[in-house]
């Protein structure tokens, strides 16, 4: 009889333990979904407010946490699982690409390298680095003339990107969403970026590019120690920035901000890009992210 009572007691204990664990998991899942919903609402509201006049386009895509990072081991890591907080605003509007087009050219050249039609000669190494780090045009224009705008646009269309980036005799075009997709491919090592060494080379060059007053300035103002690998574009009243951002805790995200108008000239629009970046990072990753609904 004592044995039966003991077994029954243990059965009750374990069943209650499992039920408690299940309830805890359910509560955590609910908390995660609530945080995600609030973050997406707040980010959508904010981005709509900064793009409402049509002169700005923004695309945000969260990449999740780096494996083994503090963020990856956190209780609410699932809040930031890849793509769960993606938000765009005016992201399919066609805008002047300025030098962000060099990301498309870089992708095309990497595809040519995979096909055996491009190699890292001394001249190519030097030209490619100047194109990304200093945003110089000579190497880029030489490659466009070599391969032709039609081949470049066909390649882009086959990747699912904006299909008319390169215009013969005219300025280049893009959408923020298309640049986001390209950066996703670069981050994930897919498509033209399958070669790990080449992918690392491009990301390292983007991390060294010299124009840091846009996304890099805003990201580090939000969280000291944040690193950014990006490519800028500037032409007349156009200031653009597209980058991959890594927070000190290991969270990563893609942000693309395209701006024009408002009497911008030179680099004056990058201050706006920095402000948008800082606010985006605070809304999504700040200490009170997902705790209350805010309408901007």
């Amino acid at each position: 009889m004592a044995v039966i009572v003991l077994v029954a007691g243990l059965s009750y204990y374990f069943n209650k333990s499992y039920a408690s664990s299940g309830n805890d998991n359910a509560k955590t899942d609910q908390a995660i979904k609530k945080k995600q919903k609030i973050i997406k609402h707040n980010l959508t509201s904010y981005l709509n407010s900064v793009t409402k006049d049509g002169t700005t386009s923004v695309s945000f895509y969260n990449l999740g946490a780096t494996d083994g990072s503090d963020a990856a081991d956190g209780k609410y890591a699932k809040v930031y699982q890849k793509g769960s907080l993606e938000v765009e605003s005016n992201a399919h509007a066609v805008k002047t690409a300025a030098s962000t087009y060099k990301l498309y050219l870089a992708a095309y050249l990497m595809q040519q390298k995979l096909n055996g039609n491009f190699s890292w000669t001394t001249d190519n190494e030097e030209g490619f680095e100047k194109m990304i780090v200093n945003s110089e045009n000579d190497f880029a224009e030489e490659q466009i003339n070599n391969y032709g705008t039609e081949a470049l646009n066909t390649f882009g269309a086959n990747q699912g990107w904006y299909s008319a980036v390169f215009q013969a005799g005219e300025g280049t075009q893009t959408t923020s969403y298309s640049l986001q997709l390209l950066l996703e491919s670069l981050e994930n090592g897919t498509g033209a970026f399958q070669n790990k060494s080449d992918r690392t080379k491009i990301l390292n060059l983007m991390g060294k590019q010299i124009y840091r007053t846009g996304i890099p300035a805003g990201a580090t103002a939000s969280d000291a120690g944040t690193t950014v690998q990006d490519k800028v574009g500037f032409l007349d009243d156009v200031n653009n920035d597209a980058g991959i951002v890594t927070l000190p805790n290991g969270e990563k995200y893609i942000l693309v901000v395209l701006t024009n108008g408002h009497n911008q000239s030179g680099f004056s629009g990058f201050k706006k890009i920095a402000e948008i970046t800082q606010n985006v990072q605070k809304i999504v990753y700040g200490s009170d992210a997902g705790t209350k609904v805010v309408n901007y």
Side-chain angles (χ1 to χ4, degrees):
M1 179 67 69
V3 173
I4 295 174
V5 171
L6 177 60
V7 170
L10 288 173
S11 177
Y12 171 79
Y13 171 79
F14 285 118
N15 288 336
K16 185 175 181 180
S17 177
Y18 287 135
S20 176
S21 176
N23 288 336
D24 288 345
N25 290 337
K27 288 179 180 179
T28 300
D29 289 343
Q30 289 175 356
I32 287 169
K33 290 177 181 178
K34 183 178 180 181
K35 278 181 173 288
Q36 289 175 331
K37 185 176 181 179
I38 292 174
I39 290 171
K40 289 194 71 172
H41 169 90
N42 293 351
L43 185 58
T44 299
S45 176
Y46 174 69
L47 294 186
N48 285 345
S49 75
V50 299
T51 64
K52 62 184 178 183
D53 71 352
T55 64
T56 303
S57 298
V58 185
S59 291
F60 171 87
Y61 185 88
N62 66 300
L63 292 164
T66 305
D67 290 343
S69 65
D70 291 343
D73 297 330
K75 180 179 180 181
Y76 292 108
K78 287 186 177 180
V79 171
Y80 298 100
Q81 60 188 335
K82 183 183 290 187
S84 62
L85 302 172
E86 179 181 12
V87 174
E88 286 90 31
S89 187
N90 201 36
H92 297 279
V94 178
K95 299 287 186 178
T96 297
S99 283
T100 61
Y101 81 81
K102 291 163 184 169
L103 289 174
Y104 294 106
L105 181 58
Y108 181 81
L109 293 177
M110 292 305 95
Q111 184 62 57
Q112 292 302 306
K113 186 171 182 292
L114 290 175
N115 296 340
N117 299 322
F118 179 85
S119 60
W120 289 121
T121 64
T122 300
D123 286 345
N124 284 343
E125 288 260 13
E126 182 179 346
F128 198 98
E129 179 169 350
K130 288 180 178 179
M131 177 179 76
I132 300 298
V133 175
N134 303 92
S135 204
E136 294 185 13
N137 295 324
D138 291 349
F139 176 78
E141 291 173 355
E142 178 185 333
Q143 299 306 314
I144 293 170
N145 290 334
N146 182 28
Y147 291 103
T149 57
E150 184 176 351
L152 289 163
N153 286 334
T154 298
F155 164 75
N158 289 339
Q159 311 311 304
W161 305 337
Y162 178 65
S163 61
V165 173
F166 298 92
Q167 307 287 315
E170 299 180 23
T172 51
Q173 299 177 331
T174 188
T175 68
S176 65
Y177 182 66
S178 181
L179 284 168
Q180 173 195 311
L181 293 179
L182 185 154
L183 290 175
E184 285 182 55
S185 181
L186 177 59
E187 170 65 20
N188 295 331
T190 58
F193 301 111
Q194 294 177 48
N195 184 293
K196 185 176 180 180
S197 176
D198 292 338
R199 173 179 168 272
T200 299
K201 179 192 292 288
I202 294 170
L203 287 169
N204 286 342
L205 293 175
M206 290 169 65
K208 297 192 298 182
Q209 72 87 10
I210 62 176
Y211 302 102
R212 314 298 294 177
T213 58
I215 292 175
T220 54
S222 180
D223 293 279
T226 299
T227 59
V228 180
Q229 298 155 311
D230 64 322
K231 182 71 196 77
V232 301
F234 46 92
L235 178 68
D236 299 327
D237 72 339
V238 171
N239 283 171
N240 299 333
D241 207 348
I244 298 170
V245 182
T246 305
L247 277 68
N249 68 356
E251 290 290 358
K252 299 183 76 171
Y253 67 89
I254 290 168
L255 184 65
V256 181
V257 185
L258 311 181
T259 71
N260 67 278
H262 302 283
N263 297 315
Q264 291 179 178
S265 62
F267 306 101
S268 64
F270 282 101
K271 183 178 179 180
K272 178 179 181 179
I273 294 173
E275 180 182 352
I276 290 172
T277 303
Q278 185 174 358
N279 288 332
V280 165
Q281 195 160 303
K282 180 179 179 181
I283 289 168
V284 180
Y285 300 102
S287 59
D288 62 346
T291 59
K292 61 180 179 178
V293 173
V294 180
N295 295 308
Y296 293 88

